[in-house]
Amino acid sequence: MPACLPDIPARPSPADQPLSLTYDHESREMERYRGLALSFLPTRPHISRLMAALGIECEQRLGALETLAEQLQRRHCLPANLARRRVLAEQYRLHLFISDDAMASQTLSYALAFAQHSLQFSELMARHCQLARLDALLTRFVDGKRHECRLLEEVRDQTQRAAVGT
């Protein structure tokens, strides 16, 4: 009589990696925008609201990825301990509050650089995706991230002009 094997969770196939990698990337982006929203809150609430809105867009993208994973019966591809990771990230996060225009400008330049990296990542995932439905979703993500970069560039430019004017 053969021995019973313990239930081993299904492992993602290489074709599933774009789903898993994109989910992990978006969760990190969401946390970054939430931190930026907090950093800008005391002195630049309008930028804080923008960062919070960008974080919400990341959260919506995560929801779309979760829905797609359920539809494709690939929920196992998504990171299981995301909630625990968020708790740990909160415990070790150091927030710097933006105190002047120069600091705001520099922080926005970093935010834009990260957003451009995120756009490149999403373009790469869309280009090499082997799941048609995920490809369509990633194409929408790319469009949103292009818009995100334009918004951050505009806000950064406005802040730089204010820093030079003072």
Side-chain angles (χ1 to χ4, degrees):
M1 185 187 275
C4 293
L5 296 174
D7 286 338
I8 299 173
R11 303 197 86 203
S13 72
D16 295 330
Q17 283 184 332
L19 179 63
S20 176
L21 292 171
T22 301
Y23 190 85
D24 189 54
H25 178 79
E26 282 302 315
S27 66
R28 281 185 271 121
E29 287 291 292
M30 181 183 67
E31 293 301 323
R32 190 173 54 75
Y33 280 122
R34 286 179 175 174
L36 286 168
L38 181 59
S39 294
F40 281 101
L41 185 59
T43 57
R44 288 166 180 74
H46 66 288
I47 297 176
S48 176
R49 285 189 296 275
L50 172 63
M51 296 302 172
L54 294 175
I56 290 169
E57 288 180 15
C58 292
E59 192 171 2
Q60 291 170 342
R61 287 191 285 265
L62 287 169
L65 287 167
E66 289 169 357
T67 299
L68 181 62
E70 299 262 343
Q71 292 169 351
L72 297 174
Q73 298 178 350
R74 285 180 160 74
R75 182 75 179 161
H76 63 277
C77 297
L78 302 182
N81 292 326
L82 187 59
R84 177 165 163 62
R85 194 177 86 199
R86 284 185 190 149
V87 169
L88 290 173
E90 286 294 323
Q91 289 175 344
Y92 296 106
R93 178 177 291 139
L94 175 63
H95 287 287
L96 298 175
F97 292 108
I98 307 302
S99 59
D100 58 34
D101 288 332
M103 188 177 187
S105 177
Q106 184 177 25
T107 302
L108 286 166
S109 291
Y110 287 129
L112 177 58
F114 276 105
Q116 289 167 337
H117 174 268
S118 185
L119 170 60
Q120 290 171 345
F121 175 86
S122 295
E123 288 171 337
L124 181 67
M125 288 294 110
R127 194 173 312 129
H128 296 289
C129 182
Q130 296 176 2
L131 298 169
R133 291 173 66 188
L134 178 58
D135 182 51
L137 188 60
L138 289 171
T139 300
R140 285 193 353 238
F141 287 9
V142 167
D143 291 339
K145 289 180 180 289
R146 282 191 184 117
H147 179 71
E148 179 180 309
C149 287
R150 282 191 301 272
L151 287 172
L152 288 169
E153 192 170 11
E154 288 173 20
V155 171
R156 185 215 44 201
D157 291 348
Q158 292 168 359
T159 304
Q160 283 178 341
R161 285 191 298 272
V164 170
T166 53

